């Protein structure tokens, strides 16, 4: 008999460096999959870890290996703390994304730190992790991975939009799921608001009070990535090469940078969701709390932007990486070729069994 109930911990660290999201989730399969987020929290990174993770692309292979060891131990401590604080006794697995260090799928390479086999030993639990590597080996982008969860858990919405370090989106089209990255969001906004001594722009209030720089906006919108067809994905390296130097060349005030960049994000996102009429758009991720960004997107579309519960906004990615782990345990497809461009649908992720 195939198991139809699972209890797992989903663990996610995004490129915006907000922290590590952990969610204890129950899944049940009847006709469709259902879920319940039982407990969830975000553990903020210390300033030291934030700085180290920001500099990942500058490390040589030996330094990356060393940091991977350290980060895996650090992640294990965070997971153990979550298990102890919530008195969690029995779970099927911890399903962890790790933290993206390098993502260069066009070169056949992606690396997420924190996915070493010792994680299972340190937390004394079965682990499912490293979901991207196999997809890249099969010629895919290794991203985005969330759309299988959108398809099976949130199929009542036309579009599923995530506003995190990057904006990515998925929808059902011609009997298959398509998904892709739209543009960088918080990975850019947070960098510039950091110069004011803040970790993020609360409700987009600083951006709202800035002025638009039309030449910069036009140059951002003209970047070749936006004209590419999906599947396509973005990484920190692309942002460092294409976005930051362009913005910095204008020598603008921080509030003007933020204002212009929010306009850019809104225009790129609206251009996608306006491809469908009378659509419902589920918006999740930390960017949803940027009221100015949401208002700017809504002003450019007649489609309905749906803001769900705070738990779904904040922990949808941890939820879905938990779900990816469940599908992997069942050896069911959790990566879709229509999304990533891989040569075939497949069940991706390493399973590390804990032997007590």
């Amino acid at each position: 008999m195939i198991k139809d109930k699972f209890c797992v911990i989903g663990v996610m660290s995004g490129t915006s460096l907000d922290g590590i999201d952990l969610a204890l989730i129950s899944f049940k399969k009847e006709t469709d999959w259902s879920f319940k987020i039982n407990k969830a929290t975000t553990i903020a990174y210390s300033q030291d870890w934030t700085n180290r993770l920001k500099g990942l692309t500058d490390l040589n292979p030996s330094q990356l290996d060393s940091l991977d060891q350290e980060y895996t131990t650090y992640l294990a401590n965070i997971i153990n703390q979550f298990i102890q604080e919530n008195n969690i006794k029995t779970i099927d697995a911890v399903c962890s994304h790790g933290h993206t260090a390098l993502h260069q799928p066009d070169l056949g390479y992606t690396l997420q730190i924190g996915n070493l086999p010792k994680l299972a030993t340190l937390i004394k639990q079965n682990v499912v992790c490293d979901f991207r590597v196999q997809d890249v080996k099969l010629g895919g982008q290794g991203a985005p991975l969330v759309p299988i969860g959108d398809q099976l858990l949130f199929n009542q919405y036309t579009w599923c939009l995530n506003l995190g370090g990057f904006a990515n989106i998925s929808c059902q089209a011609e009997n298959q799921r398509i998904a892709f990255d739209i543009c960088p969001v918080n990975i850019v906004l947070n960098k510039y608001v950091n110069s004011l001594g803040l970790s993020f722009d609360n409700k987009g209030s600083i951006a709202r009070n800035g002025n638009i720089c039309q030449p910069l906006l036009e140059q951002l919108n003209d970047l070749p990535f936006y004209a590419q067809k999906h599947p396509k994905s973005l990484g920190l390296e692309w942002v460092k090469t294409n976005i930051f130097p362009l913005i910095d060349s204008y020598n603008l005030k921080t509030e003007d940078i933020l204002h212009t960049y929010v306009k850019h994000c809104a225009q790129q996102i609206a251009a996608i969701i306006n491809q469908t009429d009378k659509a419902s758009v589920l918006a999740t991720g930390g960017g949803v709390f940027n009221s100015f960004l949401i208002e700017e997107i809504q002003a450019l579309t007649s489609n309905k932007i749906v803001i769900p519960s705070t738990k779904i906004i904040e922990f949808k990615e941890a939820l879905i990486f938990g779900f990816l782990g469940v599908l992997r345990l069942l050896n069911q497809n959790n990566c879709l070729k229509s999304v990533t461009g891989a040569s075939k649908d497949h069940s991706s992720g390493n399973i590390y069994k804990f032997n007590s």
Side-chain angles (χ1 to χ4, degrees), residues 12-222:
M12 176 67 193
S13 173
T15 47
S16 55
L17 297 176
D18 295 337
I20 298 170
D21 293 337
L22 304 103
L24 175 67
I25 316 133
S26 303
F27 291 100
K28 185 177 182 181
K29 176 69 185 294
E30 293 176 318
T31 305
D32 295 314
W33 282 99
S34 60
F35 67 88
K36 181 183 178 185
I37 300 175
N38 301 298
K39 303 281 184 179
T41 191
T42 300
I43 305 299
Y45 283 117
S46 65
Q47 191 58 55
D48 176 57
W49 270 110
T50 299
N51 292 339
R52 295 172 80 183
L53 295 175
K54 278 181 180 176
L56 283 171
T57 55
D58 301 322
L59 302 181
N60 63 40
S62 174
Q63 291 170 323
L64 263 179
D65 287 343
S66 177
L67 189 65
D68 195 359
Q69 294 286 343
E70 279 189 72
Y71 185 79
T72 302
T73 300
Y74 171 72
L75 190 59
N77 291 335
I78 296 289
I79 295 168
N80 281 332
Q81 179 184 339
F82 181 74
I83 290 171
Q84 290 162 12
E85 287 181 353
N86 292 289
N87 197 29
I88 298 168
K89 298 300 184 186
T90 306
I91 56 172
D92 292 288
V94 169
C95 310
S96 180
H97 169 266
H99 185 86
T100 299
L102 297 171
H103 184 64
Q104 300 170 322
D106 295 341
L107 301 178
Y109 187 73
T110 187
L111 171 67
Q112 285 68 46
I113 59 174
N115 289 327
L116 299 176
K118 72 175 183 178
L119 183 61
T121 304
L122 291 171
I123 64 175
K124 299 181 172 60
Q125 302 288 344
N126 296 329
V127 170
V128 189
C129 64
D130 231 1
F131 295 98
R132 299 187 188 275
V133 173
Q134 178 175 292
D135 190 78
V136 171
K137 286 181 179 176
L138 290 170
Q141 290 283 308
L145 298 183
V146 167
I148 186 70
D150 292 340
Q151 183 181 52
L152 298 178
L153 301 178
F154 296 98
N155 56 18
Q156 65 269 46
Y157 301 100
T158 314
W159 297 97
C160 289
L161 170 67
N162 177 64
L163 298 171
F166 298 90
N168 45 60
I169 199 162
S170 79
C171 76
Q172 203 71 10
E174 298 177 359
N175 296 318
Q176 63 179 6
R177 200 76 189 176
I178 61 167
F180 49 93
D181 285 343
I182 300 175
C183 62
V185 183
N186 291 338
I187 199 169
V188 174
L189 297 175
N190 290 353
K191 169 186 162 61
Y192 288 100
V193 84
N194 287 168
S195 67
L196 302 177
L198 301 169
S199 55
F200 63 95
D201 182 6
N202 188 27
K203 297 183 179 179
S205 57
I206 299 170
R208 188 188 298 277
N209 291 320
N211 296 305
I212 195 165
C213 175
Q214 194 64 36
L216 172 59
L217 178 62
E218 290 173 5
Q219 278 197 272
L220 287 166
N221 285 334
D222 284 342

Side-chain angles (χ1 to χ4, degrees), residues 265-298:
C265 293
Q267 289 177 14
Q268 292 300 325
I269 291 164
I272 300 301
I273 62 178
N274 285 340
Q275 293 174 12
T276 309
D277 293 328
K278 298 179 181 177
S280 58
V281 183
L282 177 69
T284 58
V288 169
F289 298 115
N290 187 321
S291 306
F292 180 52
L293 174 59
I294 296 298
E295 289 168 22
E296 288 295 310
I297 298 170
Q298 189 66 81

Side-chain angles (χ1 to χ4, degrees), residues 166-356:
F166 298 90
N168 45 60
I169 199 162
S170 79
C171 76
Q172 203 71 10
E174 298 177 359
N175 296 318
Q176 63 179 6
R177 200 76 189 176
I178 61 167
F180 49 93
D181 285 343
I182 300 175
C183 62
V185 183
N186 291 338
I187 199 169
V188 174
L189 297 175
N190 290 353
K191 169 186 162 61
Y192 288 100
V193 84
N194 287 168
S195 67
L196 302 177
L198 301 169
S199 55
F200 63 95
D201 182 6
N202 188 27
K203 297 183 179 179
S205 57
I206 299 170
R208 188 188 298 277
N209 291 320
N211 296 305
I212 195 165
C213 175
Q214 194 64 36
L216 172 59
L217 178 62
E218 290 173 5
Q219 278 197 272
L220 287 166
N221 285 334
D222 284 342
L223 287 169
F225 176 84
Y226 300 124
Q228 291 176 21
K229 302 291 185 184
H230 62 80
K232 57 181 182 176
S233 63
L234 290 165
L236 176 58
E237 304 96 313
W238 185 88
V239 179
K240 285 185 170 181
T241 302
N242 294 278
I243 299 286
F244 295 153
L246 179 55
I247 291 174
D248 293 343
S249 71
Y250 279 84
N251 197 27
L252 301 173
K253 294 178 181 177
T254 300
E255 58 265 34
D256 296 343
I257 292 172
L258 298 174
H259 185 95
T260 302
Y261 198 78
V262 165
K263 293 276 189 181
H264 165 65
C265 293
Q267 289 177 14
Q268 292 300 325
I269 291 164
I272 300 301
I273 62 178
N274 285 340
Q275 293 174 12
T276 309
D277 293 328
K278 298 179 181 177
S280 58
V281 183
L282 177 69
T284 58
V288 169
F289 298 115
N290 187 321
S291 306
F292 180 52
L293 174 59
I294 296 298
E295 289 168 22
E296 288 295 310
I297 298 170
Q298 189 66 81
L300 295 172
T301 183
S302 59
N303 290 330
K304 184 180 180 182
I305 308 292
V306 179
I307 308 295
S309 69
T310 301
K311 262 189 180 177
I312 298 295
I313 292 171
E314 294 184 332
F315 297 105
K316 178 170 173 271
E317 285 194 295
L319 159 72
I320 291 185
F321 274 96
F323 186 55
L324 292 177
V326 167
L327 293 176
R328 179 70 184 95
L329 291 171
L330 291 169
N331 201 32
Q332 294 180 5
N333 289 335
N334 59 8
C335 279
L336 303 173
K337 65 180 183 180
S338 62
V339 169
T340 68
S343 57
K344 62 180 180 178
D345 294 343
H346 55 104
S347 186
S348 185
N350 290 327
I351 301 174
Y352 301 134
K353 295 281 189 180
F354 172 66
N355 300 310
S356 55

